[in-house]
Amino acid sequence: MIDVTDFGIAPNGEKVQLYTLKNEKGMTAKITNYGGILTSLLIPVSGKNREVVLGFDDLDEYTNTEYISNCPYFGALIGRYGNRINKGKFRIGDKDFQLNCNLGDHHLHGGLEGFDKKIWKAEILSDFELKLSYTSPDGEENFPGKLAVDVIYTLTNENELQIKYQAVTDQTTPINLTQHSYFNLSEQPKDILDHQLKINTDYILETDDSLIPGGQLLEVENTVFDFRTKKTIQQDIEELENYDDCFAFKESTKEPRKVAELTDEKDTLTMEIHTTFPGLQLYSGKYIDAGKMKKFGPFAGVAIEAQGYPDAPNHPNFKHGWLHPGEIYKQQTNYRFIF
């Protein structure tokens, strides 16, 4: 059964619920219909529940001004367009569009009030499946078209949290949905720099200082971005101080394929990431500063976001980032835990 409890009152006065999913192995996922946020993910390692995502037990922690101003997006569903759009601008045919810019000169993660701040309609599909739905009206954050989105969270008995995305539109619109959890697999509270990470790709997006793509894919060989062989996050981080980069797999796939794995410093818990998306944004969390009752600081977690490429609508060679009327947007990401 999925347990449903009250989680607080949203800024608009609506009641918000928390949905608790449990599998037969003792794994537990807690999801709220405010922003579709995964607030907690407990893994039963050696008979003890281990919290592996950064999150809060109180809705106010997600809605207060201080938290929002720091832009951590803990555990949230991101849309209409995840990651960055250069200057918030794009063109459809002969018409130019200007989105709200909420990260300096650029649009980030859906704008001033993205999907992470919306109340989603929740529907329990089974003992292990929760469906969240949101319809974004034409013109929201200056995006064209009415976009209807469904996201299904499924907790399997194979210790896998699956996230399935589907959307349709009545006008051509940019789209890039993702899930923004920060992971920390350690048994005791500590940073993620000693975590071991492997990413199965030869390429990373070329970006400028604002993390806007130039349109090219760069090879990771002989660079600090080479995670093709598992290494700690901190091994080569000194040169950069922080990872915030999109690793590229070139194409989407119809079925999820393994693209990365993350292991705690004691090699007691591994998380595999399987996805259909063509990209994986790695953010090592240097600028995390969030929480009042439960405080999280720099490198408290690592975000590994399966998604499309940033600014894809402005790069025809990326060949994605758009949804047209009559099409169905479908993507899936699975987080599989091995212990």
Side-chain angles (χ1 to χ4, degrees), residues 57-106:
D57 302 322
D58 185 272
L59 180 63
D60 179 65
E61 290 275 41
Y62 294 101
T63 59
N64 67 75
T65 303
E66 181 181 349
Y67 173 83
I68 292 173
S69 66
N70 286 321
C71 304
Y73 299 95
F74 281 1
L77 295 177
I78 303 296
R80 183 177 298 200
Y81 201 93
N83 218 313
R84 292 154 178 81
I85 293 182
N86 187 21
K87 308 293 187 183
K89 296 179 179 180
F90 59 90
R91 170 172 280 202
I92 300 175
D94 59 357
K95 184 176 181 181
D96 293 319
F97 290 82
Q98 176 64 64
L99 304 176
N100 291 325
C101 293
N102 57 319
L103 184 71
D105 294 332
H106 306 297

Side-chain angles (χ1 to χ4, degrees), residues 149-162:
V149 180
D150 293 327
V151 178
I152 298 177
Y153 282 101
T154 304
L155 187 61
T156 76
N157 288 322
E158 288 70 45
N159 292 320
E160 187 171 81
L161 180 65
Q162 300 179 349

Side-chain angles (χ1 to χ4, degrees), residues 248-253 257 276-279 309 318-319:
F249 309 103
K250 289 195 172 181
E251 301 290 343
S252 299
T253 56
R257 79 288 200 200
T276 58
F277 281 106
Y309 299 166
F318 286 171
K319 299 180 181 178

Side-chain angles (χ1 to χ4, degrees), residues 100-121:
N100 291 325
C101 293
N102 57 319
L103 184 71
D105 294 332
H106 306 297
H107 177 91
L108 176 71
H109 290 342
L112 301 175
E113 190 174 301
F115 291 0
D116 60 294
K117 300 178 183 67
K118 303 299 184 182
I119 307 295
W120 293 64
K121 178 184 177 182

Side-chain angles (χ1 to χ4, degrees), residues 188-207:
Q188 301 296 332
K190 67 184 303 293
D191 64 45
I192 49 80
L193 293 174
D194 285 337
H195 279 44
Q196 301 170 68
L197 177 64
K198 182 179 181 183
I199 303 177
N200 303 328
T201 183
D202 297 329
Y203 299 100
I204 193 169
L205 288 192
E206 173 198 20
T207 57

Side-chain angles (χ1 to χ4, degrees), residues 34 124 157 284:
Y34 176 83
I124 295 173
N157 288 322
S284 56

Side-chain angles (χ1 to χ4, degrees), residues 189-254:
K190 67 184 303 293
D191 64 45
I192 49 80
L193 293 174
D194 285 337
H195 279 44
Q196 301 170 68
L197 177 64
K198 182 179 181 183
I199 303 177
N200 303 328
T201 183
D202 297 329
Y203 299 100
I204 193 169
L205 288 192
E206 173 198 20
T207 57
D208 63 16
D209 291 341
S210 297
L211 305 181
I212 299 298
Q216 303 300 313
L217 301 187
L218 304 178
E219 293 191 2
V220 300
E221 187 174 5
N222 297 321
T223 73
V224 298
F225 304 104
D226 192 348
F227 284 93
R228 294 174 299 173
T229 299
K230 186 178 283 189
K231 66 179 182 181
T232 63
I233 293 173
Q234 72 175 358
Q235 179 173 313
D236 296 314
I237 203 173
E238 185 174 345
E239 182 178 328
L240 298 170
E241 296 186 355
N242 180 55
Y243 286 100
D244 197 353
D245 302 276
C246 187
F247 290 77
F249 309 103
K250 289 195 172 181
E251 301 290 343
S252 299
T253 56
K254 290 185 177 180

